[in-house]
């Protein structure tokens, strides 16, 4: 991505997505930006009038996505797709509601999968011209440890990561690079609602910069911050019984 790219970015109206627009447009890249709300997208256009084009859509709605498909070629051949739109909703197990699980899965997994209905044809058209094509899926590191209340969110991100890595295998023969981004805690409007400590919290701007640097270096897995990631990997390497006890103890403290 050192050369100017033509990018479709979802979830651009706030948080990591908004920060990515500033990070990438500031370096000369051109972006089609999607989100459900028109006003934040128009604000980005006013900041970068020659580099940002709005494409309002709910990524869980196939009709919305098909309506914006022609816009993906606004700046020319689409060479990068960053599927960042997502949600985070925690479960109160005392008042168990399966709709919490459904909403996480619908937005984070199905919404991402539905974006590929229009993203893959555009990327394949670019590859057919001998140009590079990259698909970036923003997941999370949360699924590496069974955190309490995160049944829906963690399960959705585990599924999303598996989905992305399987796509990487299938799309390798076509020359479409698939990148998985797994950030730790990031300060966004979603995490502002969290009522628990968030270790190694990063700003959205720091997160966008790390994603951009990882893409420039050609990485296929971008996970950060390193101290948090290594802590999770060490925990994941423990015997399952010990993991279960630690998770239960953390859940009790959180609920208390």
């Amino acid at each position: 991505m050192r050369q100017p790219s033509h990018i479709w970015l979802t979830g651009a109206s706030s948080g990591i997505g908004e920060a990515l627009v500033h990070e990438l447009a500031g370096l000369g890249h051109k972006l089609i930006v999607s989100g459900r709300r028109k006003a934040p997208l128009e604000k980005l256009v006013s900041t970068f009038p020659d580099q940002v084009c709005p494409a309002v859509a709910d990524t869980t709605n196939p009709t919305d996505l098909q309506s914006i498909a022609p816009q993906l070629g606004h700046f020319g051949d689409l060479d990068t797709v960053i599927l960042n739109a997502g949600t985070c909703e925690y479960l109160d197990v005392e008042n168990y509601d399966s709709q919490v699980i459904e909403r996480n899965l619908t937005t984070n997994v199905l919404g991402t999968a539905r974006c590929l209905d229009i993203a893959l044809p555009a990327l394949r058209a670019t590859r057919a011209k001998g140009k590079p094509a990259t698909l970036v899926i923003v997941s999370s590191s949360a699924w590496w440890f069974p955190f309490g209340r995160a049944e829906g969110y963690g399960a959705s991100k585990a599924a999303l990561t598996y989905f992305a890595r399987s796509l990487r295998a299938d799309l390798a023969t076509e020359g479409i690079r698939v990148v998985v981004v797994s950030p730790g805690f990031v300060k966004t409007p979603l995490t502002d609602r969290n009522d628990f400590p968030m270790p190694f919290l990063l700003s959205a701007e720091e997160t966008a910069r790390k994603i951009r640097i990882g893409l420039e270096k050609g990485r296929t897995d971008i996970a950060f911050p390193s101290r948090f990631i290594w802590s999770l990997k060490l925990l994941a390497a423990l015997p399952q019984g010990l993991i279960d006890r630690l998770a239960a103890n953390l859940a009790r403290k959180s609920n208390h």
Side-chain angles (χ1 to χ4, degrees):
M1 281 186 61
R2 292 186 181 278
Q3 298 298 321
S5 295
H6 297 164
I7 303 165
W8 178 35
L9 170 67
T10 66
S13 57
S14 65
I16 295 173
E18 181 184 9
L20 273 169
V21 175
H22 285 268
E23 180 74 21
L24 297 172
L27 292 174
H29 300 291
K30 295 184 177 181
L31 298 98
I32 310 297
V33 294
S34 290
R36 289 178 295 177
R37 296 175 293 140
K38 183 177 180 180
L41 301 183
E42 293 290 354
K43 184 178 179 181
L44 291 169
V45 173
S46 66
T47 304
F48 303 100
D50 299 322
Q51 292 171 264
V52 172
C53 173
V56 180
D58 180 345
T59 57
T60 67
N61 187 322
T63 302
D64 276 8
L65 290 169
Q66 289 300 326
S67 72
I68 67 167
Q71 294 177 253
L72 300 188
H74 178 81
F75 292 115
D77 296 326
L78 187 74
D79 56 69
T80 304
V81 172
I82 303 177
L83 301 181
N84 164 74
T87 191
C88 177
E89 187 173 350
Y90 293 110
L91 179 72
D92 177 5
V93 75
E94 292 183 1
N95 300 289
Y96 182 85
D97 182 357
S98 64
Q99 291 186 20
V100 173
I101 312 298
E102 180 180 356
R103 287 192 290 270
N104 278 285
L105 289 169
T106 298
T107 300
N108 296 341
V109 182
L110 289 180
T112 300
R114 287 171 177 159
C115 286
L116 292 177
D117 289 336
I118 63 172
L120 276 180
L123 291 175
R124 282 173 169 147
T126 299
R127 282 296 299 141
K129 297 178 181 180
K131 299 178 182 179
T134 301
L135 170 63
V136 182
I137 293 179
V138 179
S139 183
S140 169
S141 60
W143 67 273
W144 292 347
F145 185 84
F147 293 104
R149 298 195 295 167
E151 290 88 345
Y153 179 71
S156 72
K157 292 300 187 178
L160 188 59
T161 300
Y162 187 96
F163 173 67
R165 289 176 176 170
S166 292
L167 277 174
R168 181 185 294 164
D170 277 333
L171 294 175
T173 56
E174 299 184 45
I176 297 175
R177 187 167 67 107
V178 179
V179 179
V180 182
V181 178
S182 303
F185 290 110
V186 181
K187 182 173 173 53
T188 69
L190 277 176
T191 58
D192 284 343
R193 300 181 302 187
N194 289 351
D195 58 357
F196 53 84
M198 293 179 284
F200 311 114
L201 182 68
L202 293 176
S203 69
E205 292 74 21
E206 289 175 295
T207 300
R209 182 177 59 83
K210 287 180 179 294
I211 293 172
R212 189 259 303 167
I213 291 172
L215 291 174
E216 288 180 351
K217 290 182 176 180
R219 293 176 180 167
T220 53
D221 283 282
I222 304 171
F224 56 86
S226 58
R227 288 180 295 172
F228 185 62
I229 298 303
W230 279 109
S231 297
L232 290 179
K233 287 183 176 181
L234 287 172
L235 287 172
L238 295 172
Q240 188 60 49
L242 184 53
I243 293 174
D244 292 341
R245 289 196 294 274
L246 284 170
N249 185 51
L250 287 172
R252 282 193 294 271
K253 289 181 178 179
S254 176
N255 291 335
H256 178 72

